[in-house]
Amino acid sequence: MSEHHPEPDEDSRPWWDALARHLLTYQTCTDCNGVVFYPRNRCCHCLSDALQWHQSLGLGTVYSRTLVHRAPDPRMRDQLPYPVALIDLDEGFRMMSRLVGPDANQTPIGARVQVVFGLGPDGRPLPFFEPVDPVAAPDKRGDANGGGHETT
Amino acid sequence: MTLRNGAAIAGVAESRLGVVPGATVLTLQAEAAHAALADAGLTKSDVDAVFCAGRWGRTNLLEVSEYLGIQPQFADGTNVGGASFVYHLGHAAAAIQAGLCKVALILYGSTQRSRQERSLSVGDHKLAFQYEGPFGLPSPVGGYALAAARHMAVHGTTRAQLAEVAVAARQWAALNPAAYKRAPLSLDDVLAAPPVSEPLHRLDCCLVTDGGGAVVVVAPDIARTLPKPPIWIRGYGEALTHMVISQMPDILQSPAAAAGSRAFLMAGMQASDIDVAQIYDSFTITVLLTLEALGFCRPGHAGAFVADGRIAPGGELALNTSGGGLSYCHPGMFGIFLIIEAVRQLRGECGPRQAPRHGNALVSATGAVLSSNATCILERTS
Ligand SMILES: [Zn+2]
């Protein structure tokens, strides 16, 4: 039934292409300095087309989270229950993601997290987040640690 | 400019509700339309405007108008999720006041239960959904679960406080013969129900039923000629903030805050003036967030507000007196049923569930994932 695949378009193709190289990207507007996410061809603050791509450091805070017991995608049923979260990235944008790692199901709201790259249900690279190791945090970003967490 | 007293609700009705195998979305809407026009003391030939929304069909307005044999001179198919029908009410009042129509028919019908159409999927992972769909959040429950989890973390709200909303709804439903679920429900039942998207469990979630409804809105000169007392629109406001939950500016700030303040301003009223409230209860958390947004309590205090039977029959606030989407019916989109129950309460037609004070009623409908809200204040006397 619900085996959907992301459909990259002219706005999102650079974002998906960067993810394939284990880079999490976002945009800013050079006219109003607004941060833009998800990717757009016009600034959602001022409608300017002067948007620039940036690489995120992948560090953020859990804004909210839910432990999912009913998967909309049959390919994810064997992972239930799994935590889905909203992450506030330090650069000033919010995105949905999955929490991963050994303590993922217990990672609380407010926890500091870092991006790790895994695989979505269709095998496409996705940005997931795991709790920051308080000592090694800056060096343990997903794009620096050889691929990070992967899931199927 | 104000809509105040520029239009009145003259008729309301449901179709068959619950499990209606063999029905189509059109048969249910035709049933409800006929009954609502009869309730108003009007006939099909009086209708000159049609409003509808639904998850069926590509061109709902064309299909339902054709089926009913109505060629409206004004029509609106605004679709912002389950709140749509309260948007239609405001838009019908505006059109009537502008002289574009005189008798508006608002319609809804769904056979989602019998046809097993309900899905937890957002559908194709394209446009904004490509940034959420791959992470496996069930929709819409997952979006509301994220709001509930943050409300609990920030304000200390408990699952038991959320459960109070479901228990009170069931107590009201026990007094409503048309309600789908009427058997007694305890706090422990709600707490022990299987989790869907934590902290929301199955009984924090609205029903999945079939059903349809219709509302007839008329110009003041017509309203005054009809057999039943007109129910006047005193205040109206709407707001929308986002589609996907990750784009919601503040997940604890429902668009009901902006919509409600517009409606209260137009009405010259505040929450403490309201006798009866019909608030969309897609999930238990929706009621808490809406109560806070409308000013029935301070932000963060709705968990305590709904406790101790305050919203149950005999409590301080007559809230969701039909049993709501949690226990009365929920055919995919519930907004029209909020209006139907508010009108019946204002007319004093509700028998054992009749609210003791019923001079005015507030209807507040929230659509999609806390995305849209329309709030309308209705009154028995103009
Ligand atoms: Zn800008």
Side-chain angles (χ1 to χ4, degrees), chain B residues 5-8 96 101-103 218-226 230 232:
Chain B
N5 299 334
I96 287 168
C101 58
K102 278 188 160 299
V103 178
V218 302
D221 57 326
I222 295 177
R224 294 192 183 93
T225 67
L226 299 175
W232 296 92

Side-chain angles (χ1 to χ4, degrees), chain B residues 86-117:
Chain B
V86 183
Y87 276 70
H88 295 165
L89 178 58
H91 297 183
I96 287 168
Q97 199 163 6
L100 296 169
C101 58
K102 278 188 160 299
V103 178
L105 183 59
I106 305 173
L107 294 166
Y108 180 63
S110 168
T111 53
Q112 61 155 14
R113 183 179 180 103
S114 292
R115 292 177 165 271
Q116 299 185 315
E117 291 165 337

